């Protein structure tokens, strides 16, 4: 079910950019998701009163970006408890329903670790409640946790912006995919670094990769920056090498969907290519991500599951035929950049540099 913004009023969280995810009402309320597949053309919301709608929104990238899908997943558990309430389930059946739906939500997309992280964080709180707790109590506790995760992410984004702006070199900056307010609960990760530096009065060219096949850079990053009145230049993905060689790009900064204990970084397809190009042109390549994006249970990027999406996203972008039906298309949604190509990882605790197992462990153990 969709509905356009009734008053046209913006739910501003940062500057002029609306929130990607909102909980409306109390524990019997619902989740509202800004449908990012329609941007920049239309601003409509998906109203989620059942878990199936939440999962569809995550799978179809109506809500997307690692931190934002984690937040949506946490609210998704409240939706599950709401289903149990409305169905009049007894305490144990209600908890069983939430646990079963939690697994469905956590596996809706495989690469961004934030989704499972947020679901498991909420389930850990649920586990502290007595087994006879009524569904309404489950919903209330899950809502408090989801709101906590959401608010925490807003603060983490602000800290990432500050730490990153301090190390962002002078000159043009290139970013990939969308890592702004739409992708998080706050100002973003890599995009927050760029906008924080801009708000500090620094002036530089900002290049947004188009980001094939779903155009998160052209549709979403460019839209966010334009909404905020910050000039942006959209590039086709294949222009990056030329822009680096011609000296207009002095640094690259991207977000992440999962970072291993050794610093290998999974992010939107095309990121690895940018890192290789940056090394070839002696340009620093930075990653910005909150601690919830680190998966310290794995060491090598080879262990990160890479989401493979439908061939039609490549063959029929935006519904327009771009390749013969008879052709096959590979559509890996993410790739992995080895730690050795990353100059620094900007987190809410500070900047990890050089990127080694030891510096990661040291910076992540810091209190903010
Ligand atoms: O497929 P998407 O649009 O969810 O991919 C998003 C990215 O790859 C982002 O760079 C990443 O999640 C970081 S968002 C702050």
């Amino acid at each position: 079910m969709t509905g356009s913004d009734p008053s046209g009023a913006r739910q501003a969280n940062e500057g002029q950019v609306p929130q990607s995810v909102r909980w409306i009402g109390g524990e019997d309320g619902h989740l509202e998701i800004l449908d990012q597949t329609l941007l920049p053309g239309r601003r409509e919301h998906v109203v989620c009163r059942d878990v199936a709608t939440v999962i569809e929104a995550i799978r179809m990238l109506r809500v997307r970006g690692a931190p934002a899908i984690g937040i949506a997943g946490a609210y998704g558990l409240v939706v599950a408890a709401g289903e149990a309430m409305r169905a009049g389930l007894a305490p144990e059946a209600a908890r069983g329903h939430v646990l079963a739906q939690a697994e469905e939500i956590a596996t809706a997309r495989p690469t961004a670790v934030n989704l499972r992280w947020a679901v498991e964080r909420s389930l850990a709180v649920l586990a502290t409640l007595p087994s006879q707790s009524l569904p309404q109590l489950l919903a209330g506790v899950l809502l408090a946790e989801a709101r906590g995760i959401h608010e925490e992410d807003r603060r983490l984004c602000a800290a990432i912006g500050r730490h990153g702006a301090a190390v962002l070199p002078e000159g043009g900056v290139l970013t990939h995919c969308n890592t702004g307010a739409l992708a998080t609960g706050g100002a973003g990760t890599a995009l927050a670094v760029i906008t924080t530096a801009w708000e500090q009065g620094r002036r530089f060219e900002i290049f947004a990769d188009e980001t094939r096949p779903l155009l998160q850079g052209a549709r979403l990053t460019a839209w966010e920056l334009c909404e905020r009145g910050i000039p942006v230049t959209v590039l086709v993905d294949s222009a990056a090498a030329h822009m680096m060689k011609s000296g207009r790009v002095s640094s690259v900064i991207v977000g992440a969907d999962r970072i291993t204990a050794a610093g290998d970084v999974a992010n939107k397809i095309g990121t690895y290519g940018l890192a290789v190009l940056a090394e070839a042109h002696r340009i620093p390549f930075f990653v910005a991500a909150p601690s919830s994006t680190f998966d310290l249970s794995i060491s090598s990027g080879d262990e990160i599951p890479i989401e493979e999406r439908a061939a039609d996203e490549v063959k029929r972008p935006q519904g327009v035929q771009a390749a013969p039906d008879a052709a096959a298309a590979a559509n890996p949604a993410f790739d992995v950049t080895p730690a050795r190509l990353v100059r620094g990882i900007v987190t809410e605790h500070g900047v990890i540099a050089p990127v080694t197992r030891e510096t990661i462990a040291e910076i992540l153990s810091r209190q903010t």
Side-chain angles (χ1 to χ4, degrees):
M1 181 179 168
T2 64
S4 45
D5 193 335
S7 59
R10 288 169 171 155
Q11 297 297 322
N13 56 342
E14 299 293 332
Q16 303 294 311
V17 180
Q19 281 183 303
S20 57
V21 171
R22 284 199 306 168
W23 184 262
I24 309 291
E27 65 259 23
D28 55 350
H30 66 269
L31 175 62
E32 193 180 84
I33 286 172
L34 175 66
D35 188 346
Q36 298 187 33
T37 64
L38 303 176
L39 291 171
R42 298 205 321 265
R43 195 181 296 192
E44 294 184 11
H45 292 91
V46 183
V47 174
C48 305
R49 296 185 199 277
D50 53 63
V51 175
T53 308
V54 177
I55 290 176
E56 195 271 350
I58 293 173
R59 286 205 178 118
M60 298 308 292
L61 275 57
R62 302 187 198 288
V63 58
R64 44 140 306 279
I69 62 175
I71 295 163
Y75 284 125
L77 295 198
V78 193
V79 173
E83 286 178 337
M85 251 192 304
R86 285 190 296 279
L89 295 186
E92 279 176 18
R95 188 182 294 245
H97 176 73
V98 172
L99 292 176
Q101 296 302 302
E103 194 49 32
E104 296 293 316
I105 293 169
T107 51
R109 292 191 76 191
T111 303
V113 74
N114 307 59
L115 180 54
R116 181 164 285 282
W117 169 85
V119 167
E120 282 183 358
R121 179 167 149 175
S122 290
L123 290 183
V125 178
L126 199 67
T128 64
L129 297 179
S131 62
Q132 286 311 306
S133 305
L134 293 171
Q136 188 151 9
L137 179 64
L138 305 188
V141 165
L142 289 168
L143 179 57
E145 193 62 18
R147 285 198 164 125
I149 290 171
H150 198 168
E151 169 58 22
E152 188 179 292
D153 193 62
R154 193 189 64 73
R155 282 186 277 110
L156 301 190
C157 288
I160 288 170
R162 284 194 304 275
H163 290 303
V167 295
L168 191 71
E170 296 299 322
V173 59
L174 171 66
T175 190
H176 193 62
C177 197
N178 170 265
T179 61
L182 291 170
T184 64
T189 57
L191 200 60
V193 171
I194 292 171
T195 54
T196 302
W198 187 271
E199 280 156 9
Q200 288 171 350
R202 289 173 53 186
R203 291 296 175 260
F204 44 85
E205 280 192 288
I206 303 168
F207 298 104
D209 267 351
E210 197 175 33
T211 316
R212 293 265 164 170
L214 297 179
L215 304 183
Q216 290 94 328
R219 292 189 303 106
L220 306 177
T221 299
W223 180 75
E224 281 198 33
L225 291 170
C226 290
E227 288 288 295
R228 298 178 64 151
I230 299 176
V232 56
T233 301
V234 176
L235 299 177
V236 295
D237 296 337
S238 43
H242 170 74
M243 299 306 279
M244 289 183 194
K245 185 155 157 271
S246 61
R248 285 177 71 184
V249 172
S250 300
S251 64
V252 179
I253 184 160
V254 300
D257 287 80
R258 198 185 290 228
I259 304 174
T260 71
D264 294 345
V265 176
N267 191 50
K268 179 52 54 194
I269 191 73
T271 301
Y272 172 46
L274 287 178
V276 171
L277 288 175
E279 184 191 44
H281 292 90
R282 303 201 192 318
I283 289 169
F285 178 90
F286 292 100
V287 172
S291 50
S292 52
T293 301
F294 285 77
D295 181 354
L296 300 180
S297 73
I298 57 173
S299 188
S300 162
D302 296 344
E303 296 172 74
I304 299 176
I306 299 294
E307 178 181 6
E308 183 75 33
R309 294 187 62 84
D312 260 9
E313 289 182 352
V314 175
K315 289 164 60 176
R316 305 185 68 85
Q318 314 287 297
V320 176
Q321 181 134 23
D325 286 332
N331 189 12
F334 300 94
D335 58 27
V336 177
T337 299
R340 67 179 172 78
L341 296 178
V342 182
R343 176 70 59 90
I345 304 177
V346 184
T347 74
E348 73 270 24
H349 301 291
V351 180
I352 298 170
V355 179
T356 64
R357 186 182 292 278
E358 293 69 33
T359 50
I360 289 172
E362 195 265 307
I363 300 273
L364 291 188
S365 69
R366 283 185 193 166
Q367 304 292 320
T368 25

